Amino acid sequence: MKLELTYLNHTTQTLIIAANEVIEELKLHGYEAYIVGGAVRNLLLKKEVNDIDITTNCLPENIIKIFSKTVPIGIEHGTVIVLWQDFQFEVTTFRVDGEYIDHRRPEQVQFVTDLKSDLERRDFTINALALSETHEIIDYFDGQKDLKNKEIRAVGHAAHRFEEDALRMMRAIRFQSVLNFNIEENTLLAIDELAATIALVSIERIVVELKKLLMGKGVHQALQIFYKTMHRYLPFFRDIRGNTTTYQLQSPAEFTVYIAYIIYCELKIDQDLTSKISDFKLSNQEKKKIKDCVLIFDYFNHPEMSLKAFVYRFDIDLIQNVYHFILNEKVVIDNLVDITSIQKAKQQLTIQTRDELQIDGNVLMTYLNKKPGPWLKSMLNNIELAVIEGRLSNRQEKILEWAKNHV
């Protein structure tokens, strides 16, 4: 089958032209080379292509000799980055994988000379597709048929694929969600059988897949499988006590909001998972976002501060993300404040940060003739709140007068 690519936007066409130039350069030196993997899948689905991988029978050391600009990022596994024009391409030698000893990566690889052997080691049929420079599709495992039928099917024996790399189970449900496909029966049975081995995969790799899964159109079905099979073997999720049906979303959601929602729900049954956020090995910024989202959920359910204080304290984008999550998932909250009121309150704030206060601790201590102490932090907090809520003008003379009366 020859792939028609005239519909592509200019950026993608330029990317493919550059990839074909790399392939032509390899062919000029007597080698085979093909575009492979996700790029071919996305082209067949008429989806956006952001990067392209190339596979070849050229050995890594010869790739480095042929191209003037290269980065040998994984030369022991046959991978070299080729810098060509304004693009970079991962060019990998045809290979078969040796024994997987840790359910993560092969102990060694063996370079081979035929494309079929290379494609046979890949995870799913829809990813085991190659494209020649003349746009001919090479499909040894009926990947095009599975694309047409919207099925995720392992290449060869599903259990073998998952025994090699347990992360492939998460990748299966991630693709199911993102592509809104179904998982083929034998592939699904293998996930159920080998689910416990997901514990051998680093949580960082799990989080990468989970973030993508949560943003897919098929998130509900993917999370059904996740909670039926794998969640009990993973940090954070294994400590959930509530009914996991609650956490099988109906709509896409951001990871931070989703994890915050689980924590918020679990707190209602006296299970505090806040400390378990660290299990994900996230940045401090992401951890703070999750904790803030928990407090935002709590505010919507039971507001204990003014609306102006609320929109001042929390990032407006986080507030809006949580708000839309509540609507999408039909979370039961009495008297939910409407988003227009939230946005209006944000716009009406006289200050956005404490730095905008027309006062500081030194001025207060001098004016009130007092030494530093706990009173100062409390005073600044009260001044900040009064200004936010419009009870106090943000002018130094008014603030000092107020402070004198409230010291």
Side-chain angles (χ1 to χ4, degrees):
M1 173 187 170
K2 190 167 185 176
L3 190 59
E4 176 57 55
L5 301 177
T6 53
Y7 71 90
L8 296 171
N9 62 43
H10 175 72
T11 302
T12 305
Q13 286 200 30
T14 305
L15 177 63
I16 291 173
I17 289 168
N20 283 337
E21 289 172 353
V22 172
I23 290 171
E24 286 289 353
E25 191 68 21
L26 287 162
K27 289 188 72 178
L28 282 173
H29 288 79
Y31 299 104
E32 295 177 51
Y34 305 89
I35 294 173
V36 73
V40 185
R41 178 196 70 232
N42 284 356
L43 287 170
L44 284 164
L45 291 172
K46 292 183 167 52
K47 290 181 176 288
E48 188 176 348
V49 175
N50 297 313
D51 56 77
I52 288 177
D53 294 336
I54 294 171
T55 188
T56 179
N57 60 348
C58 182
L59 294 172
E61 56 267 31
N62 293 330
I63 296 171
I64 292 170
K65 290 176 183 176
I66 291 170
F67 297 97
S68 59
K69 295 180 180 178
T70 60
V71 183
I73 56 161
I75 201 163
E76 69 279 5
H77 292 107
T79 301
V80 175
I81 287 181
V82 172
L83 305 172
W84 187 267
Q85 297 180 19
D86 296 327
F87 303 103
Q88 58 181 40
F89 301 99
E90 283 193 13
V91 181
T92 303
T93 304
F94 296 166
R95 75 182 204 210
V96 293
D97 294 337
E99 185 181 357
Y100 284 73
I101 58 172
D102 56 3
H103 297 277
R104 292 171 61 197
R105 60 178 71 87
E107 191 173 12
Q108 73 279 322
V109 301
Q110 178 183 341
F111 299 136
V112 294
T113 56
D114 67 297
L115 175 64
K116 185 177 180 181
S117 295
D118 180 82
L119 295 177
E120 199 167 17
R121 70 178 172 82
R122 296 174 186 267
D123 52 8
F124 307 111
T125 61
I126 61 171
N127 295 332
L129 297 162
L131 181 69
S132 74
E133 80 283 1
T134 58
H135 303 164
E136 294 288 341
I137 298 288
I138 297 96
D139 180 9
Y140 295 111
F141 307 105
D142 289 332
Q144 292 174 94
K145 180 181 176 182
D146 288 331
L147 281 176
K148 184 178 180 180
N149 293 334
K150 298 187 175 183
E151 280 198 319
I152 309 295
R153 182 191 308 271
V155 175
H157 196 284
H160 291 167
R161 294 287 82 81
F162 298 146
E163 284 168 353
E164 289 169 346
D165 184 354
L167 184 68
R168 287 171 173 168
M169 295 185 289
M170 276 298 298
R171 281 171 59 82
I173 61 172
R174 185 255 285 186
F175 283 124
Q176 177 188 39
S177 177
V178 172
L179 299 176
N180 204 15
F181 282 16
N182 294 311
I183 298 179
E184 177 268 333
E185 183 180 2
N186 289 326
T187 304
L188 189 57
L189 286 171
I191 291 173
D192 192 41
E193 177 188 343
L194 295 166
T197 61
I198 198 68
L200 301 169
V201 179
S202 72
I203 193 61
E204 293 94 333
R205 295 176 80 202
I206 298 290
V207 168
V208 168
E209 297 298 327
L210 188 56
K211 285 179 177 180
K212 295 175 183 176
L213 180 160
L214 289 168
M215 295 302 292
K217 289 182 179 179
V219 62
H220 179 69
Q221 193 175 0
L223 286 176
Q224 280 185 320
I225 295 171
F226 175 75
Y227 283 106
K228 182 182 177 183
T229 59
M230 285 178 273
H231 89 279
R232 66 183 66 90
Y233 305 110
L234 293 172
F236 181 87
F237 295 101
R238 63 190 172 212
D239 292 303
I240 288 174
R241 289 182 186 170
N243 185 346
T244 57
T245 305
T246 307
Y247 309 135
Q248 293 166 24
L249 303 182
Q250 301 300 321
S251 302
E254 290 188 5
F255 174 79
T256 49
V257 177
Y258 179 65
I259 297 302
Y261 176 62
I262 294 174
I263 294 171
Y264 163 75
C265 292
E266 292 290 305
L267 282 168
K268 289 184 174 182
I269 55 171
D270 296 323
Q271 172 71 333
D272 189 352
L273 297 181
T274 308
S275 64
K276 300 294 182 180
I277 296 171
S278 59
D279 290 351
F280 292 122
K281 299 184 179 178
L282 304 170
S283 67
N284 289 334
Q285 183 182 19
E286 277 191 289
K287 287 188 279 189
K288 182 181 184 304
K289 277 186 177 181
I290 293 172
K291 291 174 183 178
D292 282 352
C293 285
V294 174
L295 295 173
I296 293 168
F297 272 113
D298 193 54
Y299 173 85
F300 281 129
N301 184 52
H302 186 62
E304 292 187 347
M305 66 178 87
S306 69
L307 184 56
K308 284 186 176 180
F310 171 64
V311 296
Y312 176 80
R313 178 175 177 183
F314 298 107
D315 179 81
I316 189 65
D317 290 334
L318 277 187
I319 293 172
Q320 291 181 144
N321 287 345
V322 171
Y323 182 86
H324 289 124
F325 181 97
I326 289 169
L327 294 184
N328 290 338
E329 297 306 314
K330 297 180 172 57
V331 179
V332 178
I333 289 180
D334 294 331
N335 303 315
L336 178 66
V337 62
D338 67 278
I339 195 67
T340 305
S341 299
I342 293 169
Q343 293 166 340
K344 187 176 179 181
K346 180 67 175 177
Q347 292 166 359
Q348 290 177 342
L349 290 177
T350 53
I351 62 170
Q352 299 295 328
T353 68
R354 177 172 283 194
D355 290 341
E356 296 175 34
L357 276 179
Q358 298 299 304
I359 199 74
D360 62 30
N362 290 327
V363 174
L364 275 175
M365 287 188 292
T366 301
Y367 180 76
L368 297 173
N369 194 26
K370 288 176 69 68
K371 294 180 179 180
W375 72 272
L376 184 58
K377 181 179 179 181
S378 176
M379 176 68 75
L380 284 169
N381 287 341
N382 290 335
I383 289 169
E384 184 179 29
L385 183 60
V387 170
I388 290 163
E389 294 182 340
R391 295 181 282 109
L392 175 61
S393 172
N394 188 30
R395 290 160 49 197
Q396 189 173 101
E397 65 273 18
K398 293 292 185 183
I399 294 172
L400 290 174
E401 183 182 339
W402 187 93
K404 186 176 180 180
N405 293 329
H406 290 80
V407 69

